[in-house]
C-alpha cells in the first residue's frame, strides 16, 4: 500500500440503504422477520438513463457556507461522506457557483475554475466507495448574490452599506456582475451577459463530469438568476427574454439545452424550480407570478431538451409571498409535473420528515423521488431507521453492523 491514508474498505453490493432479502441466519438472529415481505416503495430502485438509484431518498442541496474562494474542504468530505454511509441513494451538493460573482455568499461552494475539481473529486470518490451517488447543483444567484453567511450577519455584523443595496462593502467591487459599477444595484443583463453566464453553466458541467459527479441539477428556483427570468414578478424585460411565457423560459431552456449537449448522455440532468411564487394576483402581475400551470408547461419543454427530472420546490422571489407551510405542502406540484408532463420524472421536497409519509409519496405515484434536507441534518440515520419502520431489510454499513437493531426500535 503506497499511502496508508488512501486505505478505505468499500461497502459491499449496493451499499447501505439498499433493500435486500435477509438470509435465514439473519432471520433467526432477529434482524428480520421473513423473506416474503414486499419491498416498500421508498426502497425500490429507480433507473434514470444509465444511472440507478438504490432507493428513493435524495439529499436536497443545502447551502453550507463553508468554502473559501469556492473550494470544497474536509467539511464537505465529512458532510457528504457521513450521509453517504447512512444509506441515501443520491446526495446533491449545495448550490455551487458557476461564477465567483454568482455565489449567494463569499463562503459558498464554487466550480468556476479547474482548481476546484481536485477536492470535489475526493468527496465524490468517498461517496462512491459507500455506494452512494453524488450530484451537484449548478447555480447563479443573480440579484440575490454576494450576501453574507446568515450566522455572520447575526453574530459578527458584516460591513453592510445600505446605500448600495445592503451588500457587504468588503466583498463587492467594480468587477461584480451583474451589479452596476456605479450603484452596485442589480441591473438587467445584456445579451452578452446572457451568453457568458450560459457558458459558465456549460463549463461548470464539464468540470462536474471531470470530478466524477453522477447528476447535475440546474438551480432554477428560490429567486436566483434562472427564476428571475421565469417569473413576471422579476422579469420586466422587453426583448426575446421577457414578456411571454415562451420568452421568460428562454434563458433556462437554452441553458439546459447547452448543458445537456455537454453533460454525458448516460448521466441524468435535473432542474429545480419554484413551482409557484405563492404571491396573490395584483394589477402589476395579474397571475401573481410564476404558476403551477406554467411549471407543468415548462416541464414539457425541458423534457424535449433532455432534462430527466424536475425538482419541485416553491417561492423565494418576492417578500409578498405567503407560504402555506404544512407537512408535504409542495408535493402537489411534483404530482402535477409527473402527471402533466409525460415522461418527466418529478421530485417532492418540503417538510417531509416521516418514513411513512415519504413512502406514501412514492407508493401513491405523487413523485418519483423524495428530496430531504433538514430532516437528514436532524437524523442522518433516517434511511436506516425508515427501513426498520417500514419493515424493509436494508443493508447496513459493514463497519456499523454491530449496531444494527435486532427488532424494531430495539438497539440491544
Amino acid at each position: 500500500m503506497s499511502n496508508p491514508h488512501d486505505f478505505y474498505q468499500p461497502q459491499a453490493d449496493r451499499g447501505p440503504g439498499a433493500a435486500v432479502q435477509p438470509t435465514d441466519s439473519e432471520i433467526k438472529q432477529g434482524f428480520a422477520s421473513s423473506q416474503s415481505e414486499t419491498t416498500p416503495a421508498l426502497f425500490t430502485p429507480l433507473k434514470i438513463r444509465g444511472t440507478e438509484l438504490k432507493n428513493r431518498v435524495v439529499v436536497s442541496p443545502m447551502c453550507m457556507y463553508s468554502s473559501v474562494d469556492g473550494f470544497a474542504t474536509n467539511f464537505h468530505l465529512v458532510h457528504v461522506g457521513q450521509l453517504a454511509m447512512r444509506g441515501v441513494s443520491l446526495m446533491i451538493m449545495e448550490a455551487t457557483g458557476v461564477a465567483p460573482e454568482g455565489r449567494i455568499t463569499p463562503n459558498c461552494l464554487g466550480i468556476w475554475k479547474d482548481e476546484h475539481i481536485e477536492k470535489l473529486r475526493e468527496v465524490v470518490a468517498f461517496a462512491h466507495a459507500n455506494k452512494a451517488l453524488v450530484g451537484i447543483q449548478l447555480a447563479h444567484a443573480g440579484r440575490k448574490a454576494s450576501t453574507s453567511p446568515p450566522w455572520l450577519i447575526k453574530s459578527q455584523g458584516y460591513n453592510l452599506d445600505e446605500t448600495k443595496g445592503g451588500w457587504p462593502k468588503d466583498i463587492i467591487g467594480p468587477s461584480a456582475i451583474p451589479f452596476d459599477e456605479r450603484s452596485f444595484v442589480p441591473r438587467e443583463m445584456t445579451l452578452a451577459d446572457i451568453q457568458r453566464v450560459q457558458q459558465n453553466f456549460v463549463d461548470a458541467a464539464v468540470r462536474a463530469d471531470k470530478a466524477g459527479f453522477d447528476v447535475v441539477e440546474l438551480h432554477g428556483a428560490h429567486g436566483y438568476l434562472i427564476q428571475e427570468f421565469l417569473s413576471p414578478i422579476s422579469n420586466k424585460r422587453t426583448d426575446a427574454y421577457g414578456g411571454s411565457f415562451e420568452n421568460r423560459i428562454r434563458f433556462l431552456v437554452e441553458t439546459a439545452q447547452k448543458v445537456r449537449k455537454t453533460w454525458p448522455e448516460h448521466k441524468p440532468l435535473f432542474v429545480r424550480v419554484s413551482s409557484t411564487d405563492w404571491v396573490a394576483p395584483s394589477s402589476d402581475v395579474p397571475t401573481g407570478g410564476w404558476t403551477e400551470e406554467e411549471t407543468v408547461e415548462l416541464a414539457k419543454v425541458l423534457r424535449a431538451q433532455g432534462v430527466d427530472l424536475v425538482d419541485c420546490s416553491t417561492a423565494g422571489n418576492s417578500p409578498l409571498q405567503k407560504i402555506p407551510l404544512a407537512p408535504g405542502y409542495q408535493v402537489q406540484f411534483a404530482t402535477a409535473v409527473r402527471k402533466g408532463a409525460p415522461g418527466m420524472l418529478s421530485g417532492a421536497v418540503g417538510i417531509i420528515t416521516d418514513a411513512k409519509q415519504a413512502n406514501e409519496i412514492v407508493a401513491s405515484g405523487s413523485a418519483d423521488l423524495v428530496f430531504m434536507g433538514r430532516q437528514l441534518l436532524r437524523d442522518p440515520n433516517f434511511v436506516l431507521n425508515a427501513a426498520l419502520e417500514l419493515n424493509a431489510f436494508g443493508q447496513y454499513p459493514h463497519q456499523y453492523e454491530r449496531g444494527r437493531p435486532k427488532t424494531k426500535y430495539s438497539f440491544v
Side-chain angles (χ1 to χ4, degrees):
M1 178 166 39
S2 60
N3 184 351
H5 297 291
D6 289 338
F7 175 75
Y8 172 71
Q9 187 177 1
Q11 302 297 327
D13 303 319
R14 289 186 293 155
V20 295
Q21 287 288 353
T23 64
D24 290 340
S25 175
E26 287 166 332
I27 294 172
K28 289 179 181 179
Q29 292 179 66
F31 291 120
S33 56
S34 72
Q35 291 185 331
S36 61
E37 294 180 3
T38 302
T39 301
L42 192 64
F43 286 89
T44 56
L46 176 66
K47 187 170 184 179
I48 309 175
R49 294 184 181 261
T51 301
E52 184 171 276
L53 285 71
K54 60 188 173 184
N55 60 50
R56 305 302 182 94
V57 180
V58 177
V59 181
S60 192
M62 295 175 281
C63 292
M64 293 289 124
Y65 313 109
S66 297
S67 297
V68 176
D69 192 29
F71 282 91
T73 68
N74 283 342
F75 167 83
H76 297 90
L77 177 62
V78 173
H79 171 62
V80 171
Q82 55 104 12
L83 288 170
M85 290 185 68
R86 305 309 174 99
V88 300
S89 63
L90 169 65
M91 269 258 355
I92 300 185
M93 291 187 71
E94 64 200 82
T96 304
V98 299
E101 68 276 2
R103 290 171 293 172
I104 301 170
T105 80
N107 296 105
C108 286
L109 196 63
I111 193 168
W112 67 81
K113 56 185 176 182
D114 291 345
E115 289 82 359
H116 288 144
I117 295 173
E118 182 179 0
K119 189 65 176 183
L120 291 171
R121 185 184 287 127
E122 181 183 350
V123 174
V124 171
F126 184 84
H128 284 172
N130 284 278
K131 310 295 184 177
L133 303 174
V134 192
I136 188 167
Q137 187 184 64
L138 303 182
H140 192 298
R143 65 178 181 173
K144 294 176 73 173
S146 297
T147 59
S148 304
W151 55 79
L152 292 182
I153 294 176
K154 293 178 181 179
S155 64
Q156 297 179 19
Y158 261 51
N159 186 18
L160 303 184
D161 188 340
E162 297 301 330
T163 67
K164 295 180 178 179
W167 285 284
K169 289 191 293 187
D170 52 350
I171 62 170
I172 61 174
S175 63
I177 299 172
F179 303 113
D180 185 276
E181 292 184 8
R182 293 161 297 182
S183 65
F184 295 97
V185 173
R187 62 166 172 83
E188 183 176 291
M189 293 174 73
T190 66
L191 294 181
D193 290 334
I194 288 173
Q195 293 174 359
R196 172 179 47 77
V197 172
Q198 288 178 334
Q199 188 60 45
N200 289 158
F201 275 95
V202 171
D203 294 342
V206 171
R207 295 186 185 101
D209 182 47
K210 290 179 179 179
F213 285 100
D214 304 288
V215 174
V216 152
E217 177 172 274
L218 304 181
H219 196 348
H222 305 159
Y224 300 124
L225 182 63
I226 291 176
Q227 199 206 353
E228 290 163 22
F229 276 91
L230 296 176
S231 174
I233 291 175
S234 46
N235 189 340
K236 305 299 183 183
R237 300 178 71 98
T238 58
D239 63 1
Y241 290 89
S244 68
F245 169 78
E246 290 75 15
N247 284 357
R248 285 183 282 114
I249 69 172
R250 192 181 307 277
F251 179 84
L252 170 55
V253 172
E254 289 179 348
T255 304
Q257 185 181 51
K258 292 176 180 180
V259 169
R260 181 71 272 178
K261 288 180 178 179
T262 303
W263 187 238
E265 181 65 24
H266 68 282
K267 293 187 177 184
L269 176 61
F270 295 179
V271 173
R272 171 165 278 196
V273 299
S274 283
S275 305
T276 179
D277 282 320
W278 291 122
V279 175
S282 65
S283 57
D284 183 45
V285 184
T287 63
W290 183 257
T291 67
E292 175 182 333
E293 293 74 21
E294 288 178 311
T295 295
V296 174
E297 291 305 308
L298 172 63
K300 295 177 183 177
V301 177
L302 291 176
R303 182 60 187 148
Q305 300 302 327
V307 173
D308 301 291
L309 179 142
V310 175
D311 175 3
C312 298
S313 189
T314 64
N317 198 38
S318 171
L320 299 177
Q321 65 191 25
K322 302 293 183 183
I323 305 174
L325 292 175
Y329 71 104
Q330 296 175 149
V331 173
Q332 60 179 308
F333 304 108
T335 305
V337 165
R338 194 172 190 271
K339 293 182 176 180
M344 179 66 83
L345 302 175
S346 72
V349 63
I351 314 185
I352 300 171
T353 60
D354 176 80
K356 292 180 179 178
Q357 173 198 19
N359 187 66
E360 178 59 24
I361 289 170
V362 179
S364 65
S366 298
D368 298 282
L369 294 175
V370 174
F371 287 67
M372 304 180 70
R374 291 174 176 85
Q375 183 59 25
L376 288 170
L377 298 182
R378 290 186 288 262
D379 179 13
N381 276 337
F382 177 87
V383 176
L384 302 178
N385 292 337
L388 288 173
E389 185 171 348
L390 298 172
N391 295 317
F393 187 76
Q395 286 187 231
Y396 242 60
H398 56 69
Q399 293 92 339
Y400 297 168
E401 188 67 39
R402 75 196 74 174
R404 179 194 286 273
K406 288 192 173 182
T407 57
K408 189 174 180 180
Y409 301 123
S410 174
F411 294 87
V412 294

